[in-house]
Amino acid sequence: VAKSNSFLLATYNTCNLSRQQWDYMSLEANINDIKAIAIQEHKLTSTTSLADDLGGGLMVPWFDPCEVTPRGGKAGGVGWAISKRWERSFQEEDLESSSPFLKWISLTQQRPDGSKYKLYLGSVYVPPQGGRGLTKQEITGQVLRAIKDMVHEPMIIMGDINTDLTTCSTASSQWLDVIRGEFCTVINHVGEWRHKATRIPTGESW
């Protein structure tokens, strides 16, 4: 149960998660006291390669397996990296809207009056070219239906939808119509965050 007034979450499109990335991310999360990180595009069918890493002692991977293409390639994959110290406070959730593109977990919170409730957290990835036999539009439709289904629950969805909501387009209008219609807030559009880039080129760092 989370009793503090605030806690830090993060989101990270790893674009093929490596052991080095996992270690670096885990160390940074530990230093900054980040409780959980929404992970997208990890491209892993198993998390055993992360178990013996330095990061394996700091963060726990709750990943759904990525897609394996007909040619044997790997694509997508969503999940969460959970602080080992906070692992018992989170729960994996298998909801009707759960899918290979949306991974739900929850964190039990405590109100000032002592009553408790679940805060649902979703890690989402909408591939630019679609995936698992679905088009980008079809996957987007799934995620938007999930928002509508969960609108009466406290929730936060983080990730990469491959749509720029700050521009005028059919795709952004589709997202904003649902977001505004269900009284949701685009957190990284609030205040000065609206003018900060959310994508940092990875170059050849990894």
Side-chain angles (χ1 to χ4, degrees), residues 16-17 42-50 63-69 72-77 132:
N16 195 5
L17 181 63
H42 56 67
K43 296 184 181 178
L44 295 174
T45 55
S46 168
T47 59
T48 54
S49 63
L50 307 178
F63 293 177
D64 287 342
C66 74
E67 176 184 8
V68 178
T69 67
K74 296 178 181 178
R132 297 183 186 261

Side-chain angles (χ1 to χ4, degrees), residues 19-197:
R19 293 171 65 121
Q20 186 178 0
Q21 280 176 292
W22 175 256
D23 274 350
Y24 180 79
M25 178 191 71
S26 298
L27 287 170
E28 287 294 314
N30 188 59
I31 291 169
N32 293 286
D33 197 24
I34 296 173
K35 306 299 189 288
I37 303 174
I39 302 293
Q40 304 87 43
E41 207 178 3
H42 56 67
K43 296 184 181 178
L44 295 174
T45 55
S46 168
T47 59
T48 54
S49 63
L50 307 178
D52 297 329
D53 284 7
L54 172 63
L58 300 175
M59 304 291 285
V60 180
W62 289 359
F63 293 177
D64 287 342
C66 74
E67 176 184 8
V68 178
T69 67
R71 294 186 178 183
K74 296 178 181 178
V78 292
W80 286 87
I82 308 294
S83 168
K84 194 111 178 160
R85 291 175 296 178
W86 276 67
E87 184 179 5
R88 293 186 179 182
S89 297
F90 290 93
Q91 299 85 39
E92 289 189 86
E93 298 286 349
D94 184 15
L95 305 181
E96 187 174 342
S97 58
S98 298
S99 76
F101 311 100
L102 179 58
K103 172 78 171 179
W104 288 106
I105 63 172
S106 66
L107 174 65
T108 301
Q109 300 257 270
Q110 184 167 294
R111 298 184 179 93
D113 64 5
S115 62
K116 299 174 183 177
Y117 68 94
K118 276 188 177 183
L119 172 63
Y120 290 91
L121 306 169
S123 175
V124 63
Y125 179 59
V126 179
Q129 306 303 324
R132 297 183 186 261
L134 300 174
T135 65
K136 179 186 177 185
Q137 178 64 28
E138 289 171 329
I139 297 167
T140 297
Q142 285 186 4
V143 177
L144 293 178
R145 283 193 295 274
I147 293 175
K148 292 180 178 180
D149 290 344
M150 295 291 289
V151 73
H152 297 298
E153 302 286 352
M155 67 166 177
I156 300 172
I157 294 180
M158 302 189 294
D160 186 353
I161 61 173
N162 275 297
T163 297
D164 186 351
L165 299 183
T166 64
T167 63
C168 293
S169 68
T170 302
S172 64
S173 294
Q174 181 184 20
W175 276 95
L176 292 173
D177 285 348
V178 172
I179 290 168
R180 291 166 179 163
E182 303 300 340
F183 301 99
C184 299
T185 299
V186 183
I187 298 173
N188 64 324
H189 285 193
V190 176
E192 63 182 71
W193 290 106
R194 183 176 181 85
H195 306 291
K196 293 185 179 294

